[in-house]
Each structure stands twice: as C-alpha cells, then as structure tokens.
C-alpha cells in the first residue's frame, strides 16, 4: 500500500479533534458535578430534601443508572442535542447525590484526594494513549473485576464489614486505573471509525459517549481513593 503523508496527517487531525472534544465534555461534566455537589452541601434545605427522604434519594440513584443505560443503548438513535442534554443532566444529578461526601469527609481530604485522583487519572490516560500494547485483554479482566466489586458491594450492604469495604476500595482503585487506560486507548479506535458527517452530529454523540465513559472512570476512582485516604469530619 502506498504511503500517503496527507492521508496520515488528516487521520491524525481527526483523532486529535475527536479526543479533544471527549476531554472537553468530560471536564464540563466533572465541573457541573463538583459545582452541584458543593452547592447542595451548602444548603441545609436541599440536603434535607435529598437525604431526608429515602424515596427521593433512591429515586435519584435509580434515575442516574437509568440515564447511563439509556444513553449507552440509544445514543445512536437520538439527536446530538438530546445526548448532550442527557449527559449534562446526569452530571448535575450525580453531583447532587455526591454532595454527601461533604457530610462525611473534611474539605482538605476531599481536595487532596481529588488532586491524587486527577494525577493518577492523567497518568493512566496518557499511558493508554501512547502505549503500543493492545489493552483489550486488560479491559476484559478489569470488567470482570468491576462485576466482582458490584457483587461484593451489594453483599456488604447486609454484612456491613469495614474490612470488606476497604478491600473493595483497594481493588476498585486497581480496576478503575486499568479501565482508564483501556478506555482511553479505545478513544483512538472510536476517533478513526467515526463516520463522515457534515453536520457533526455523529461526532458529537461519539464524543459524549467517550466523555461519559471517562467521567465514570474518574468519579469511581475518586470515590475509591476517598474511601481509603479520606479524613472524617468527626
């Protein structure tokens, strides 16, 4: 096959543009979540409404799960505007439920853990982007680990074991570190296979899905680290 520097350059621009869009949307989601969490935590009324009523709290949790599954399953059939609106709404709703961390951990430990998480995430993401090694097998192994974490967490709701909770957190850090590298590598494949679309709708929807995936990796990694290093307010 004849080497085409122009074709390679165009492919590189396409990949970089797509990946930049993914990270921009991920940062938007994280910013909305952080702002909402802090705002809700600063309002006694909102805290009482959300956490004082189990129906509302669990309704929000199941609503978030529903949004993730719906967006993942229907993103190709919905408009770019709908996909974006759903992602933004999810980020805000998740911020409201995550405001509980301000009632459990002190501000300094939340800030320091966030910094550690950001640096760890960045390192894993860079590795996933530059490595020549195929991380598909790693991704499959990490997904099995994620399923194990979910099952163990559900069991621990009834067992209420502090030791198991810590084990889940340590394993969770390893799992989401691996998933971050794997999901970042997948972004390059997504960028290359994005269909040509003059309106940019398909690219936008692909970027939203990529942003949601990395957003979930970041949030879960942060929560796992917070369980390990977070200092109690008491």
């Amino acid at each position: 096959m004849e080497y085409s520097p122009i074709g390679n350059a165009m492919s590189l621009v396409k990949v970089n543009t797509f990946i930049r869009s993914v990270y921009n949307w991920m940062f938007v989601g994280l910013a909305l979540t952080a702002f909402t969490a802090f705002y809700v935590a600063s309002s006694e009324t909102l805290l009482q409404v959300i956490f004082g009523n189990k129906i509302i709290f669990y309704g929000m949790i199941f609503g978030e799960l529903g949004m993730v599954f719906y967006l993942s399953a229907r993103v190709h059939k919905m408009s770019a505007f709908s996909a974006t609106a759903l992602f933004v709404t999810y980020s805000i709703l998740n911020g409201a439920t995550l405001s509980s961390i301000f009632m459990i951990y002190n501000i300094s430990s939340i800030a320091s853990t966030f910094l550690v998480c950001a640096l760890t995430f960045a390192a894993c993401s860079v590795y996933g982007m530059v490595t020549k090694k195929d991380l598909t097998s790693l991704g499959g192994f990490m997904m099995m680990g994620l399923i194990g974490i979910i099952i163990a967490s559900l069991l621990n709701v009834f067992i209420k074991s502090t030791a198991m909770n810590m084990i889940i957190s340590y394993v969770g850090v390893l799992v989401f570190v691996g998933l971050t590298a794997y999901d970042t590598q997948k972004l390059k494949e997504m960028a290359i296979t994005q269909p040509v679309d003059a309106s940019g709708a398909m690219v936008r929807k692909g970027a939203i899905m990529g942003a949601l995936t990395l957003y979930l990796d970041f949030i879960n990694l942060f929560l796992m680290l917070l369980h390990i290093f977070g200092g109690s307010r008491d």
Side-chain angles (χ1 to χ4, degrees), residues 8-147:
N8 285 349
M10 291 179 64
S11 178
L12 182 61
V13 169
K14 180 181 179 181
V15 170
N16 290 340
T17 301
F18 177 78
I19 290 175
R20 189 181 305 114
S21 181
V22 169
Y23 281 100
N24 284 343
W25 280 111
M26 186 195 76
F27 291 143
V28 167
L30 290 174
L32 287 171
T33 297
F35 174 80
T36 303
F38 186 78
Y39 180 80
V40 172
S42 302
S43 171
E44 290 292 338
T45 302
L46 289 176
L47 288 175
Q48 184 60 34
V49 168
I50 296 173
F51 300 103
N53 188 318
K54 290 185 178 182
I55 295 178
I56 292 178
F57 176 70
Y58 286 110
M60 292 173 67
I61 295 294
F62 286 115
E64 291 176 41
L65 293 174
M67 286 182 186
V68 171
F69 286 122
Y70 183 79
L71 184 56
S72 300
R74 304 285 298 179
V75 63
H76 296 298
K77 297 183 178 180
M78 63 177 64
S79 67
F81 175 82
S82 297
T84 304
L86 201 58
F87 174 70
V88 168
T89 302
Y90 171 78
S91 300
I92 295 173
L93 193 61
N94 197 36
T97 56
L98 286 179
S99 62
S100 60
I101 65 173
F102 290 98
M103 298 186 292
I104 302 172
Y105 304 100
N106 60 60
I107 295 294
S108 60
S109 68
I110 292 174
S112 60
T113 302
F114 183 87
L115 178 60
V116 170
C117 179
L119 293 174
T120 303
F121 181 90
C124 296
S125 198
V126 168
Y127 174 76
M129 191 64 64
V130 303
T131 184
K132 302 299 182 181
K133 182 179 179 180
D134 185 358
L135 300 180
T136 302
S137 59
L138 174 66
F141 184 73
M142 291 298 105
M143 285 304 298
M144 288 189 293
L146 178 58
I147 293 173

Side-chain angles (χ1 to χ4, degrees), residues 124 127-128 135 138-139 142 172-184 217 221:
C124 296
Y127 174 76
L135 300 180
L138 174 66
M142 291 298 105
V173 169
L174 295 177
V175 166
F176 287 107
V177 160
L179 284 176
T180 297
Y182 167 70
D183 288 332
T184 302
D217 289 340
L221 178 60

Side-chain angles (χ1 to χ4, degrees), residues 149 152 161-173 224 228:
I149 290 173
S161 169
T162 302
M164 181 178 286
N165 190 47
M166 289 304 295
I167 292 172
I168 291 172
S169 297
Y170 279 107
V171 173
V173 169
M224 295 297 175
I228 298 171

